[in-house]
Amino acid sequence: MRSDARRGPRAGIALKTAALGGMLFLHIPLLIIVLYAFSSEARSFTFPIPGFTTKWFAVAFERQDVRDALGLSLRVAATATAVALVLGTLASAAVWKSRFFGRDAISLLIVLPIALPGIITGIALRSAIAITEIPFSFWTLVIGHATFCIVVVYNNVLARFRRTSGALIEASMDLGANGLQTLRYVILPNIATALLAGGMLAFALSFDEVIVTTFTAGQQSTLPIWMLSQLLRPRDRPVTNVVAVFVIAVTFIPIIAAFYLTRDTHDVSGSQK
């Protein structure tokens, strides 16, 4: 009994230590990038830092190539997210509401693009674009990003649908509401936070995507592709660090917001037990 009592606190300490080690391993590199974005000298990664300045932020956002890459990334992420919200919601509604042969197989095919390695998805998309002779453009980027953005929206909305009682829809129809009224006053309020969370996650994933973008961008340069090209130019490292800090902020905030929006999904009105 005493040995078990001693083993319990020791195991708890070991787990906490391992969790702390994992967190440090993941986040120390990000903190280093943030730290060196404020370095006063153009030489990067010299320790200790000679001084702190914010001048590189002004330098970064005065550069036309940075603004062009940022604008393209924002447009692609916003468009891909909009496409994913529509198609992902419709697909999740069909899988939730309908019973048909091959439903599980279709669900697997929908989530497959995010389960496969990005390079496989990228090669497949590039091959399809080459076969159909579609010129590389803004829309090939949107198509490429939408393949995995749809999965994020689909998973979030389907999880919410499965916690929503079908009796709510039946009650709405029994009370005389038509399809549009049921959608507006019953379905959308129940899945609103799941849609918002899915859209935020999709936007964050699209904004910092590199592998699929490499295969579908052609000569275009999104912000992550711009950063990748800048790694070969040591003189531009401080500017690259500033852009990296911006990418971290743009992706980190939606992910945190999505977490808080979906953490209480069991409390959905009319949820099934």
Side-chain angles (χ1 to χ4, degrees):
M1 292 293 290
R2 290 183 178 179
S3 61
D4 291 340
R6 292 175 181 175
R7 191 178 304 169
R10 290 177 183 175
I13 293 172
L15 287 173
K16 290 177 181 179
T17 303
L20 178 61
M23 292 290 291
L24 292 175
F25 178 79
L26 291 172
H27 293 97
I28 283 179
L30 300 180
L31 294 176
I32 291 174
I33 290 175
V34 174
L35 182 65
Y36 279 95
F38 294 93
S39 177
S40 61
E41 291 189 5
R43 292 179 302 170
S44 60
F45 306 125
T46 57
F47 190 84
I49 293 178
F52 292 90
T53 182
T54 58
K55 68 178 182 179
W56 301 115
F57 288 82
V59 171
F61 291 102
E62 284 175 359
R63 290 181 51 164
Q64 187 62 43
D65 55 343
V66 174
R67 293 202 300 268
D68 291 342
L70 173 61
L72 180 60
S73 290
L74 291 173
R75 293 196 304 273
V76 170
T79 309
T81 300
V83 172
L85 284 171
V86 175
L87 298 182
T89 302
L90 292 175
S92 62
V95 170
W96 169 65
K97 192 63 179 174
S98 304
R99 299 291 184 270
F100 53 89
F101 176 75
R103 187 179 68 156
D104 292 338
I106 289 176
S107 184
L108 175 63
L109 290 175
I110 292 173
V111 302
L112 198 58
I114 207 169
L116 291 173
I119 192 169
I120 301 299
T121 304
I123 292 173
L125 286 168
R126 189 174 184 89
S127 299
I129 291 169
I131 290 172
T132 54
E133 298 182 351
I134 299 174
F136 290 102
S137 65
F138 169 82
W139 293 107
T140 56
L141 279 171
V142 170
I143 292 170
H145 287 207
T147 57
F148 55 83
C149 289
I150 288 173
V151 181
V152 176
V153 176
Y154 172 82
N155 284 336
N156 275 276
V157 178
L158 183 60
R160 182 61 58 85
F161 271 137
R162 286 174 173 168
R163 292 179 173 88
T164 303
S165 174
L168 290 174
I169 298 175
E170 295 174 2
S172 175
M173 303 298 282
D174 288 342
L175 292 171
N178 57 36
L180 288 177
Q181 289 172 327
T182 301
L183 174 65
R184 179 180 177 183
Y185 296 110
V186 178
I187 297 176
L188 286 180
N190 276 278
I191 66 171
T193 54
L195 284 173
L196 184 58
M200 287 180 171
L201 288 173
F203 184 90
L205 286 175
S206 175
F207 187 81
D208 68 354
E209 214 295 320
V210 175
I211 300 176
V212 173
T213 304
T214 303
F215 288 94
T216 57
Q219 299 301 315
Q220 302 172 99
S221 179
T222 60
L223 207 58
I225 297 298
W226 179 90
M227 291 172 58
L228 191 62
S229 68
Q230 293 299 307
L231 293 178
L232 302 177
R233 302 178 183 179
R235 293 182 181 179
D236 291 340
R237 289 279 176 85
V239 176
T240 307
N241 289 336
V242 169
V243 175
V245 170
F246 182 78
V247 172
I248 291 171
V250 170
T251 54
F252 179 77
I253 293 171
I255 290 172
I256 293 298
F259 168 76
Y260 280 102
L261 284 170
T262 57
R263 63 177 179 172
D264 296 324
T265 52
H266 60 279
D267 293 331
V268 175
S269 176
S271 61
Q272 293 175 330
K273 302 297 183 182

